[in-house]
Amino acid sequence: MAESDKAGRNASPLHLLSDGVNKVTEGALFASLLVLVGVTFLQVVFRFFFTALTWSEELSSFLLVWVSLLGTAVAFKRGSHIAVTFVLDRLGPLARRLVQTLVALLGLAFFGIVVWYGGVMMGSEASQVTPAMGLSMRWIYLMYPIAGVIIVLHIVDSLVAVWQKEA
């Protein structure tokens, strides 16, 4: 929860949007993890006792990437990524805000590239299909723009919060 919420002030529409998107993301992450565990369990059981499922390894791989990207988005929202803050903690309020802004801008640039090239890959690989499931790779590469947009939203929200804090 943002500090502005704790202080009793009204949250901005951007913050409310970021919170809402994060709740949906957490739900999708939980569901995806359940499916990943279930498919992996079935893969082991069928491989050991029956005929191997031809699609399970492919689906598990795609789900693992999807879960990793969703987990990254949730971690951005929660501020859970590893950070080295010993220098930041020693800076004054303005310098701290400037460094946090620089870091946020670098993050926005990186995830903007992820969104852009994810879209490019969706277009260029649309005619390719996955070997076992026969899905268009467009649907597989869609995970990159989705996760990137969610992360960009969370970074912008955190950047706004940095500059709304009292000095």
Side-chain angles (χ1 to χ4, degrees), residues 75-118:
F76 261 97
K77 178 63 179 174
R78 294 182 181 182
S80 298
H81 284 286
I82 191 168
V84 179
T85 62
F86 68 90
V87 172
L88 194 63
D89 294 340
R90 287 170 175 69
L91 296 175
L94 180 59
R96 183 179 301 123
R97 285 180 177 172
L98 291 173
V99 170
Q100 289 172 319
T101 300
L102 175 64
V103 169
L105 292 175
L106 290 171
L108 288 173
F110 177 79
F111 287 104
I113 292 168
V114 169
V115 170
W116 176 263
Y117 281 104

Side-chain angles (χ1 to χ4, degrees), residues 113-125 141-142 144-145:
I113 292 168
V114 169
V115 170
W116 176 263
Y117 281 104
V120 168
M121 293 292 290
M122 284 177 60
S124 67
E125 302 297 323
Y141 286 118
L142 178 62
Y144 295 104

Side-chain angles (χ1 to χ4, degrees), residues 10-159:
N10 291 334
S12 70
L14 175 66
H15 185 70
L16 293 174
L17 176 63
S18 178
D19 283 350
V21 167
N22 189 59
K23 285 184 193 223
V24 171
T25 304
E26 287 175 346
L29 176 59
F30 180 75
S32 298
L33 275 170
L34 285 178
V35 172
L36 176 60
V37 169
V39 167
T40 303
F41 176 76
L42 286 175
Q43 180 180 5
V44 170
V45 169
F46 272 77
R47 191 168 294 210
F48 190 71
F49 294 110
F50 308 106
T51 304
L53 300 172
T54 58
W55 51 269
S56 62
E57 188 171 346
E58 186 173 274
L59 181 58
S60 294
S61 297
F62 295 142
L63 281 171
L64 184 60
V65 174
W66 177 240
V67 163
S68 299
L69 292 170
L70 290 179
T72 299
V74 169
F76 261 97
K77 178 63 179 174
R78 294 182 181 182
S80 298
H81 284 286
I82 191 168
V84 179
T85 62
F86 68 90
V87 172
L88 194 63
D89 294 340
R90 287 170 175 69
L91 296 175
L94 180 59
R96 183 179 301 123
R97 285 180 177 172
L98 291 173
V99 170
Q100 289 172 319
T101 300
L102 175 64
V103 169
L105 292 175
L106 290 171
L108 288 173
F110 177 79
F111 287 104
I113 292 168
V114 169
V115 170
W116 176 263
Y117 281 104
V120 168
M121 293 292 290
M122 284 177 60
S124 67
E125 302 297 323
S127 62
Q128 299 288 325
V129 294
T130 61
M133 295 185 299
L135 291 174
S136 170
M137 287 302 291
R138 171 177 291 189
W139 299 109
I140 304 304
Y141 286 118
L142 178 62
M143 67 178 84
Y144 295 104
I146 289 173
V149 166
I150 293 169
I151 294 168
V152 164
L153 173 66
H154 294 330
I155 292 174
V156 170
D157 179 44
S158 70
L159 183 58

